[in-house]
Amino acid sequence: MSIHDRATAAVLAQMMMAADGALFGFGVTYVAYRSIRKYAGTASALRKIRDAPEVQPSDLRSILTEGDDSSSSDSDGGESSSSNGGGRLVIVRGSVEVKSATEKANWKALMGSNLVASKASGEKGVILQRTQTCIYNEWKGVFGWTADLRNMISGSLKEHETSSTRMVPFILVEGTKWPHSDYVVVNMEGSNHPLPLTTVYQHLQPISATPLTFLQAICGLEYPVGMLYEEKILPLGKDITAVGICSLNNGAFEIKASKDLPCFLSALTKDQLVVDLSFKTKVLMWSGLVFGTIAIGILGYSVVRNWTKYKQWRSQRRTQQQNNSTITGTESLNDEVLDEEAEEIPDGELCVICLMRRRRSAFVPCGHLVCCQRCALSIEREISPKCPLCRQTIRSSVRIYDS
């Protein structure tokens, strides 16, 4: 780690431990809140998927009919029509087929423009995703510390990947019979869920260095060193599981993605999805508990430490105020003593201890007026203060003023 990285890490550590770790505690609290929120969403999705029926396309007619495509099925594990626009939550397992195969009576429907094809491998499917990922490198040159600071602040905002997706309407069918009379149309509108695609092409192409690349390297900036090309498809005949809201649309069964669920199309079966979500739920639950406990401990420690510091500050302030008042009294006493020393004092009125100042303080409880105010205060501060005349223990002294 360079000296600049160590300095940046030290500054971040000081910021995190500000106010005895209060800032760090709030950060951990936010992580715990996010974990608990994700746990609640994942647990809800797990309950819905566990209660949803797993069917084949041919079984949909026994579950959905023309009369209840917009009705609510909450009692059977479905979702209400008010929140999902009608239909029922189901899990359909089937094979991928192009939709036009149901509209034509021969195998030529699967050829030509009805599919999307990979340019590199030539394989065909119903979904084609092309991804270009630019790989960057960084050499810390003369001005390399600027790149370190930029990476710490805005490194997560960089976009190195571009992706494009093409697809054709497709359906899920059961078995290998053709033509298919029982099928469900997959509606991909509004779905941002991950897709179970298969990689058919992957190539890493190095990028030749240019004078601009050399200048970027000298200045400590990132420069491209390679481009990764990938092509993924969803091929025909692949068995996948669709988890979504199924309803009747123009006499055909159609399934859409649900925003409340973390997946729509998956290569896993229902049992595998339940196991996977159960594991994620446990991880999120324990993460929320652990981070929540740590956050409570850190914030509690910070509150106790700051309260202790406040009490110490308040005590020091009181002591300082008392000292200031004592200093003020001493200064006024010194002024008075100077005035007394400037005038002539008869012998019978001199302090019996210092023999320099006038007798001004009477001791309590004996009442003897034999000391000046300064000497009386010094006697009071002794471990066992006693009157210098009668040797009786005294409690305090009283300033006597002439009329």
Side-chain angles (χ1 to χ4, degrees), residues 187-354:
N187 190 341
M188 297 294 295
E189 294 181 2
S191 173
N192 294 322
H193 301 83
L195 299 174
L197 303 180
T198 303
T199 302
V200 296
Y201 177 75
Q202 193 175 53
H203 175 67
L204 178 61
Q205 179 180 351
I207 296 178
S208 302
T210 62
L212 178 60
T213 304
F214 178 75
L215 181 61
Q216 290 174 331
I218 290 296
C219 295
L221 302 176
E222 292 182 342
Y223 56 93
V225 295
M227 185 72 70
L228 178 64
Y229 297 92
E230 287 184 312
E231 288 188 352
K232 299 179 180 180
I233 66 169
L234 181 61
L236 293 176
K238 182 175 182 178
D239 292 334
I240 62 172
T241 301
V243 183
I245 309 303
C246 188
S247 60
L248 280 169
N249 186 10
N250 296 326
F253 293 105
E254 183 181 70
I255 189 168
K256 294 183 179 180
S258 175
K259 296 181 180 179
D260 299 331
L261 301 179
C263 60
F264 177 36
L265 301 179
S266 174
L268 305 177
T269 62
K270 176 184 176 180
D271 294 337
Q272 292 172 334
L273 286 174
V274 169
V275 172
D276 183 61
L277 288 178
S278 299
F279 176 75
K280 291 181 179 179
T281 302
K282 292 180 181 179
V283 171
L284 291 172
M285 179 188 69
W286 285 108
S287 298
L289 291 176
V290 170
F291 283 113
T293 304
I294 294 175
I296 293 174
I298 294 175
L299 292 178
Y301 170 78
S302 177
V303 169
V304 171
R305 287 283 299 173
N306 284 283
W307 177 250
T308 304
K309 286 183 177 181
Y310 170 73
K311 291 195 296 184
Q312 291 176 354
W313 171 80
R314 188 173 59 180
S315 176
Q316 291 176 358
R317 186 174 181 182
R318 288 179 179 176
T319 304
Q320 185 177 6
Q321 290 176 351
Q322 292 176 357
N323 292 336
N324 291 336
S325 62
T326 303
I327 292 174
T328 303
T330 304
E331 290 178 352
S332 61
L333 179 62
N334 291 335
D335 294 339
E336 183 179 355
V337 169
L338 291 176
D339 293 340
E340 290 181 351
E341 291 179 351
E343 63 182 9
E344 294 184 1
I345 303 173
D347 294 339
E349 297 182 4
L350 287 175
C351 174
V352 297
I353 295 178
C354 65

Side-chain angles (χ1 to χ4, degrees), residues 16-17 25 63 96 124 155 169 220-221 236 261 301 317 382:
M16 291 174 61
M17 296 307 296
I63 298 178
V96 177
K124 296 181 179 181
L221 302 176
L236 293 176
L261 301 179
Y301 170 78
R317 186 174 181 182
E382 293 179 357

Side-chain angles (χ1 to χ4, degrees), residues 166-177:
R166 291 179 52 200
M167 65 178 65
V168 296
F170 65 99
I171 58 176
L172 295 182
V173 299
E174 178 183 357
T176 57
K177 285 185 174 183

Side-chain angles (χ1 to χ4, degrees), residues 53 55-65 68 88 182 253:
V55 297
Q56 300 289 337
S58 60
D59 300 329
L60 290 174
R61 295 191 181 276
S62 62
I63 298 178
L64 296 177
T65 61
D68 66 352
R88 181 179 179 182
D182 297 318
F253 293 105

